[in-house]
Amino acid sequence: MGSVESQASAGSKPVSAGAEDPNAQSQEANRPMTDGFHLVIDALKLNGIDTIFGLPGIPITDFARKAQAEGIRVISFRHEQNAGNAAAIAGFMTQKPGICLTVSAPGFLNGLTALTNATTNCFPMILISGSSEREIVDLQQGDYEEMDQLAIAKPLCKAAFRVLHAGDIGVGIARAIRAAVSGRPGGVYLDLPAKLFAQSMDAEAGRNSLIQVVDPAPQQIPGAQAVKRAVDLLKGAKKPLIVLGKGAAYAQADAEIRALVDKTGIPYLPMSMAKGLLPDTHELCASAARSYVLPEADVVMLVGARLNWLLSHGKGKTWGGKESKAWGGQKFIQIDISPQEADSNVRIDAPVVGDIGSCVSALLDALDADASWAKAPAGWTAAIAERKSKNIAKMAETLAKHPAPMNFHSALNVVRDIVKANPEAILVNEGANTLDFTRSIVDMYKPRKRLDVGTWGIMGIGMGFSVAAAVVSGLPVIAIEGDSAFGFSGMEVETICRYNLPVCVVVFNNNGVYGGTDVNRGGGADVAPTVFVKGARYDKLMEAFGGVGVHATTPAELRKAMEEAMRSNKPTLINAVIDETAGTESGRITSLNPSAKKK
Ligand code: ADP
């Protein structure tokens, strides 16, 4: 085997090789040529990709420059993980794969966490990393940032490809796009060795080698029998419940989902990132009666939601099971694009496999055609409404309190009002208690407006998601951040200022992970591992880069600062001082934390 370049030459006919006639040689030399840089850019543009999130460095610096010169928006970050998270959430918001561009080895590894998280969450994303030459990597000869990136990426994403020849760039990018967005979406790794970028080939042949992907995420129509099975179960239900997951939000089948709820009158429970698919204030929204509806329901229809840990695996006491892993007696219908998802935790009685738009439309058609269909029993919806109003009244009492210093509730009461007044704004949310309380207190009104820690409950998505949300939508972003969570991506406030993005970050500052009160049990000088610098001024970080910083110690100060941020659209960071004794260790997932359980 020859070198990468000589292999490429065999396919794409080099400019001068073997040309003996001097005229022919000069004609050849004058032929318009293209190179790997431009072919990658052209392939992305041909497929409607207009934004790249990344971090330049060897060997992709020039690629980033040239992409910008060719009209692609290149958003440059301070750490690859944040660029990767930005790409992932851009994929979720747009249904087009979000592109993250990194350098080799360490940059690639930094991006890999985001790629894997994207795959776990079913977000379409392509991580493009520059890499060392195969010859050196395979012989382990010690190249600059040498690493077998393709092998490392493979088990951690949906698909991984490497392109060695300029003439294959079109195929490589087409395959990456299809893999990312078709079926269950996910993360794809595309390995581009440094030498590929400089390879040249005839411009026309290059153009012809590019592929505009036709129908990248084909509709998947469910089988008629599967739909009938689901309708029969729904018809027999006395206490039906719909659970909407972020797959339903991703599918952008908003009208169909609304029609399903309206037509059936079945109460629904939105998972965190499905909040707002229908307004949280909708009369059939059962969020405020969650712990009542899960064990009580007899038929549960999952729409783009997995029965994973976030739903207690569909069994146990949450679902009315007698003990921790016991079945609660519910029958399940599951609408999902992945045929393998059903039965992953409990028996799925009626799997409906297809894309959510097609499946829900098919269900609606079947219900329309069925004269015996009646809406969800009124006794069931009335019982839920009663529970809801009790819980909402109790919450209103808590929210109305004005403790000093602020606690999560009094601060979130402000955030709740600001989001209500600005329903177009996108809410990014991460932390432990900050996450849990925000999710349950702040109502969402429109689809895909709540972006959070997702399936893994990961920390560190905050600023990457915020940047992408603002860039992709042009809308204001409110990021509600625990002080610990913010630390993972806090340096990106410089990115927010650099691109002058309408992002208002609110750091719920309670001096540590979970809180700031823990002590060093060995009695030494070091603070406890969960404690940060007390009274830290995160607002100064935003000021350092020319944004607006506000130190807020009361709900009134927080309200004023948030209103001003919404009015001005300027990069803003509000350091919201929260009682360091408020909150619990591990928030609402204390049950998963062995040390917190013992206490
Ligand atoms: P949540 O965390 O909100 O419960 P999950 O991420 O667990 O949501 O589940 C999302 C589900 O949605 C996945 O099983 C995925 O296969 C499915 N999904 C994603 N996109 C679509 C789509 N367009 N049509 C149908 N199902 C989809």
Side-chain angles (χ1 to χ4, degrees):
M1 288 291 266
S3 71
V4 171
E5 277 165 324
S6 63
Q7 287 174 40
S9 303
S12 61
K13 206 162 180 241
V15 180
S16 54
E20 277 155 25
D21 171 355
N23 285 337
Q25 199 172 352
S26 81
Q27 260 179 13
E28 284 268 309
N30 288 335
R31 251 183 14 207
M33 302 293 285
T34 188
D35 58 21
F37 286 113
H38 289 96
L39 286 167
V40 176
I41 293 164
D42 292 347
L44 292 174
K45 283 173 70 175
L46 186 64
N47 285 289
I49 286 164
D50 53 13
T51 307
I52 291 175
F53 304 94
L55 205 161
I58 296 171
I60 46 91
T61 314
D62 253 357
F63 173 73
R65 287 195 189 106
K66 287 176 204 274
Q68 189 176 49
E70 298 287 330
I72 291 186
R73 189 152 193 218
V74 180
I75 304 292
S76 204
F77 283 75
R78 305 300 294 259
H79 191 286
E80 291 88 351
Q81 194 175 114
N82 306 322
N85 285 325
I89 208 66
F92 170 75
M93 293 172 71
T94 63
Q95 296 182 322
K96 280 195 292 192
I99 308 292
C100 174
L101 180 68
T102 80
V103 301
S104 40
F108 153 77
L109 287 172
N110 287 344
L112 198 54
T113 304
L115 184 72
T116 311
N117 187 51
T119 308
T120 302
N121 281 281
C122 317
F123 299 157
M125 163 184 175
I126 302 174
L127 174 68
I128 302 180
S129 295
S131 62
S132 299
E133 303 319 319
R134 292 301 314 157
E135 297 81 348
I136 300 177
V137 173
D138 289 349
L139 279 172
Q140 298 174 28
Q141 291 178 304
D143 199 9
Y144 165 74
E145 294 187 355
E146 174 186 306
M147 178 176 274
D148 191 354
Q149 297 170 193
L150 187 74
I152 290 165
K154 257 186 192 159
L156 298 173
C157 59
K158 188 176 170 193
F161 305 100
R162 172 163 35 233
V163 182
L164 291 176
H165 310 304
D168 289 336
I169 285 172
V171 168
I173 290 195
R175 299 215 67 190
I177 290 172
R178 277 199 191 280
V181 297
S182 63
R184 172 181 277 178
V188 176
Y189 175 60
L190 190 61
D191 192 88
L192 302 184
K195 275 195 201 163
L196 176 80
F197 291 110
Q199 271 180 36
S200 61
M201 70 182 285
D202 176 80
E204 196 188 335
R207 248 192 322 276
N208 288 336
S209 72
L210 300 185
I211 295 174
Q212 186 171 14
V213 178
V214 177
D215 197 10
Q219 217 182 9
Q220 292 189 31
I221 314 279
Q225 266 307 318
V227 173
K228 183 175 179 316
R229 214 178 281 128
V231 167
D232 286 347
L233 261 185
L234 282 180
K235 269 176 23 184
K238 296 200 169 47
K239 296 176 173 180
L241 177 70
I242 294 173
V243 176
L244 300 173
K246 62 176 152 354
Y250 173 78
Q252 299 195 13
D254 307 340
E256 289 88 341
I257 285 170
R258 180 180 278 273
L260 180 73
V261 170
D262 287 345
K263 181 170 176 54
T264 59
I266 299 178
Y268 68 93
L269 195 62
M271 299 300 286
S272 189
M273 280 178 62
K275 274 165 73 76
L277 211 43
L278 286 97
D280 283 340
T281 47
H282 191 287
E283 58 175 356
L284 290 171
C285 178
S287 293
R290 188 180 198 271
S291 58
Y292 171 70
V293 292
L294 289 181
E296 282 292 317
D298 60 354
V299 174
V300 178
M301 179 156 69
L302 302 157
V303 185
R306 286 171 284 189
L307 275 178
N308 56 19
W309 70 283
L310 289 160
L311 280 170
S312 307
H313 307 281
K315 54 194 169 188
K317 292 188 176 151
T318 307
W319 291 88
K322 293 227 171 359
E323 25 181 288
S324 73
K325 293 206 169 143
W327 178 49
Q330 289 83 2
K331 302 255 182 214
F332 286 100
I333 300 164
Q334 184 160 35
I335 299 181
D336 205 289
I337 202 148
S338 165
Q340 285 168 292
E341 184 53 38
D343 304 330
S344 55
N345 283 280
V346 295
R347 181 178 53 237
I348 300 297
D349 304 276
V352 184
V353 175
D355 70 276
I356 284 167
S358 301
C359 293
V360 175
S361 298
L363 273 175
L364 284 168
D365 289 347
L367 292 173
D368 275 339
D370 192 331
S372 65
W373 166 254
K375 278 201 172 194
W380 169 233
T381 45
I384 296 172
E386 196 191 318
R387 293 296 190 299
K388 262 175 69 176
S389 63
K390 265 194 210 143
N391 290 343
I392 289 171
K394 223 187 321 170
M395 177 62 89
E397 249 174 58
T398 314
L399 292 177
K401 289 183 186 150
H402 290 290
M406 286 190 284
N407 63 9
F408 289 98
H409 291 87
S410 62
L412 284 169
N413 189 37
V414 174
V415 177
R416 176 185 160 96
D417 289 348
I418 299 287
V419 170
K420 188 174 182 186
N422 299 275
E424 285 300 334
I426 295 164
L427 185 79
V428 172
N429 186 205
E430 63 176 332
N433 292 286
T434 305
L435 174 82
D436 295 336
F437 286 122
T438 306
R439 189 178 50 229
S440 57
I441 292 171
V442 177
D443 288 329
M444 304 307 297
Y445 301 88
K446 300 201 167 207
R448 293 169 294 284
K449 296 294 185 189
R450 189 188 149 83
L451 311 175
D452 68 25
V453 303
T455 305
W456 267 349
I458 196 171
M459 296 269 179
I461 48 86
M463 297 305 101
F465 277 17
S466 296
V467 168
V471 165
V472 163
S473 71
L475 294 167
V477 174
I478 299 169
I480 304 298
E481 299 275 311
D483 51 348
S484 163
F486 175 70
F488 286 77
S489 66
M491 192 62 200
E492 302 297 346
V493 295
E494 190 275 331
T495 310
I496 292 169
C497 289
R498 189 166 10 111
Y499 295 102
N500 195 24
L501 298 173
V503 176
C504 171
V505 183
V506 184
V507 177
F508 276 34
N509 184 357
N510 63 354
N511 295 339
V513 183
Y514 312 128
T517 53
D518 205 0
V519 290
N520 181 337
R521 289 159 209 202
D526 290 346
V527 296
T530 56
V531 170
F532 296 153
V533 166
K534 303 239 179 201
R537 294 289 302 272
Y538 293 101
D539 48 315
K540 300 283 181 197
L541 198 55
M542 189 60 107
E543 282 177 0
F545 302 108
V548 177
V550 182
H551 182 59
T553 58
T554 64
E557 287 170 0
L558 177 58
R559 187 179 300 273
K560 184 161 170 265
M562 289 191 81
E563 281 172 354
E564 179 54 23
M566 291 295 102
R567 200 193 54 71
S568 73
N569 274 335
K570 284 191 188 146
T572 301
L573 193 152
I574 305 167
N575 182 53
V577 178
I578 304 289
D579 184 352
E580 65 176 6
T581 65
T584 56
E585 179 150 343
S586 307
R588 289 202 192 138
I589 51 173
T590 303
S591 58
L592 301 179
N593 179 351
S595 68
K597 260 201 288 193
K598 256 190 258 150
K599 279 205 230 155

